[in-house]
Amino acid sequence: VEARGNLGAVLFKLGKLEEARAELERVLRQAPDFAGAHYHLGLVLAATGHGVEARRQYAEAVRLDPTHAEARLNLGIAYAQAGRLADAQRELEETIRRRPEMAEAHANLANVLVELGRMNDAVASYTEALRLRPGYALAHYNLGNALLQLRRWSEARAHFAEAVRLDPGMSAARAELERLDALP
């Protein structure tokens, strides 16, 4: 069963989403308590536009294995996408409690804090994500936006510039940088 679960995960990584889904569903019929298969099925469902079903799979993976940090992270992201910010915050904070070194959890918590209007807390979470992973271009961009809302122009500019340096194709960061450079 574990080998078939791994096959489903590999098929997902190869972009063979329907094959991955069929394989993972087959695994779960045989072993409904296989947390990893629920997690990977959640990834497949999210990638194919089935957000509600994906969220259910992540939640089941977390129920079966509360230490499954990636499932908990994705559950938090799925809650945020559904507008369930309190649930998202709870799951992301629990992910961080269990895996404080997970930069993605800090960055996604920061995104939720921005939605909740807690800019200073969001800045702190983005900053922690960047301490853990300095080359995280999207976190630099999002931190720049949070800093703009706090009117911390020069700091925002520095983070937009770093986002562009790390990912020259990030047009949104480039546009913010140009906008800031055009200010008197």
Side-chain angles (χ1 to χ4, degrees):
V1 172
E2 190 171 324
R4 295 193 80 88
N6 289 337
L7 174 59
V10 168
L11 289 168
F12 169 75
K13 288 180 183 172
L14 293 174
K16 298 180 178 187
L17 302 179
E18 289 309 313
E19 292 174 54
R21 182 176 181 169
E23 193 63 42
L24 292 163
E25 287 174 343
R26 188 175 307 121
V27 167
L28 288 171
R29 280 192 296 276
Q30 294 173 1
D33 291 343
F34 188 176
H38 284 285
Y39 165 67
H40 282 99
L41 182 55
L43 293 176
V44 170
L45 290 165
T48 56
H50 298 90
V52 173
E53 294 92 343
R55 192 170 64 238
R56 286 186 192 123
Q57 293 300 320
Y58 298 141
E60 183 64 7
V62 168
R63 185 188 71 75
L64 293 167
D65 180 3
T67 67
H68 197 305
E70 290 79 9
R72 192 175 292 280
L73 169 67
N74 280 286
L75 179 58
I77 293 168
Y79 278 142
Q81 291 169 341
R84 294 175 55 179
L85 299 179
D87 292 327
Q89 182 179 353
R90 180 190 68 243
E91 293 301 332
L92 294 165
E93 286 175 345
E94 182 62 16
T95 303
I96 290 166
R97 188 184 73 72
R98 291 173 181 272
R99 294 265 310 273
E101 76 285 359
M102 190 180 261
E104 293 80 7
H106 290 278
N108 280 283
L109 175 60
N111 294 342
V112 169
L113 294 169
V114 165
E115 291 295 316
L116 292 170
R118 294 174 47 196
M119 287 309 142
N120 289 318
D121 293 333
V123 166
S125 288
Y126 286 131
T127 301
E128 180 62 11
L130 289 168
R131 184 190 70 76
L132 293 165
R133 196 168 115 204
Y136 196 166
L138 184 57
H140 278 287
Y141 171 72
N142 287 333
L143 176 54
N145 280 318
L147 290 165
L148 278 183
Q149 292 188 44
L150 293 170
R151 299 179 178 266
R152 292 164 58 181
W153 315 118
S154 63
E155 291 172 82
R157 187 195 183 291
H159 285 284
F160 290 135
E162 185 63 7
V164 168
R165 186 188 73 75
L166 292 165
D167 181 358
M170 189 180 284
S171 58
R174 188 175 303 284
E176 288 298 336
L177 197 54
E178 290 170 2
R179 191 173 68 80
L180 284 171
D181 286 346
L183 293 176

